[in-house]
Amino acid sequence: TGQLLSIAETQNFVIIQVADSFFSNHFNIPAHKQYCDLEITFSVSNWLICSTDGEKEKVGKNELYLSYKDDIHELSSTKGCRFKTLALNIKNSMHSELFEKVKNNFKHNRKCNMQEISDSISAIISEISSENAPFSTEMIDSLIVQMLVKLARVDFAVSEVDILSTSEILPSIV
């Protein structure tokens, strides 16, 4: 399955799991209780089903799904799928307000499309994998804070219906 890297700890976070996983066929990670503050699951290819407390959500390519501590969480797919996972605990209370904003923001919708989160998870994997890289924990800290800020800024009030089409913006050119 995926590559599970050792736990890393920074000044502000404890990384419980970071992985880039590929399943060539049907897979199921059975329902389990989340023990970390936050788990980000990002679908790189195809789609997967993320289930929280019995509520299933189809997560497509370039979409992420959030799970929180004490959720009953399950992942599955009926075909090949690649996904990235970052599971962490927040150990510095100065980031608690930011984390609560993320949780509040995703209270009614646990998924969104955000490619840059995948890039950040890849960068964290690279940092953890590189031996003795100078300032590695500082880099990981900043990547996680950036992800939390981006997630806190997601505006679910703006839907695709609200976005004007190109022909509406530039009718004479299109």
Side-chain angles (χ1 to χ4, degrees):
T1 61
Q3 178 184 11
L4 180 65
L5 300 172
S6 61
I7 294 174
E9 192 166 339
T10 69
Q11 182 177 354
N12 298 301
F13 306 99
V14 177
I15 297 176
I16 306 299
Q17 176 186 22
V18 61
D20 189 340
S21 304
F22 177 78
F23 291 89
S24 59
N25 255 325
H26 166 78
F27 78 94
N28 180 273
I29 298 173
H32 58 281
K33 187 174 185 175
Q34 285 295 99
Y35 60 91
C36 57
D37 292 331
L38 174 65
E39 180 177 287
I40 302 170
T41 304
F42 185 90
S43 178
V44 177
S45 65
N46 292 334
W47 53 267
L48 61 143
I49 301 293
C50 293
S51 176
T52 299
D53 300 331
E55 295 289 323
K56 293 184 178 189
E57 184 80 47
K58 186 175 180 178
V59 179
K61 182 179 178 179
N62 293 330
E63 290 183 324
L64 63 84
Y65 186 86
L66 302 181
S67 301
Y68 308 114
K69 188 174 193 153
D70 296 326
D71 284 349
I72 303 300
H73 176 65
E74 179 178 6
L75 297 173
S76 64
S77 183
T78 57
K79 55 176 148 180
C81 180
R82 179 177 170 213
F83 63 96
K84 297 179 185 180
T85 307
L86 174 65
L88 59 90
N89 284 331
I90 297 169
K91 70 180 211 186
N92 188 326
S93 61
M94 73 182 230
H95 295 299
S96 295
E97 183 180 341
L98 179 57
F99 176 60
E100 288 304 316
K101 171 64 176 149
V102 170
K103 281 178 70 174
N104 189 50
N105 208 17
F106 284 82
K107 188 184 331 184
H108 301 294
N109 186 4
R110 295 225 182 175
K111 74 173 191 174
C112 76
N113 190 310
M114 191 177 286
Q115 174 62 43
E116 57 267 32
I117 295 296
S118 175
D119 298 339
S120 295
I121 293 173
S122 292
I124 290 170
I125 290 171
S126 177
E127 283 296 319
I128 291 173
S129 300
S130 59
E131 293 184 33
N132 303 318
F135 306 106
S136 187
T137 58
E138 291 84 355
M139 178 65 83
I140 293 168
D141 245 9
S142 70
L143 288 163
I144 294 171
V145 170
Q146 286 176 41
M147 284 191 290
L148 291 174
V149 168
K150 288 174 184 177
L151 292 169
R153 289 180 174 175
V154 170
D155 184 2
F156 288 109
V158 177
S159 69
E160 290 180 26
V161 175
D162 297 330
I163 299 171
L164 297 174
S165 71
T166 306
S167 60
E168 291 173 311
I169 297 169
L170 305 169
S172 60
I173 297 174
V174 179

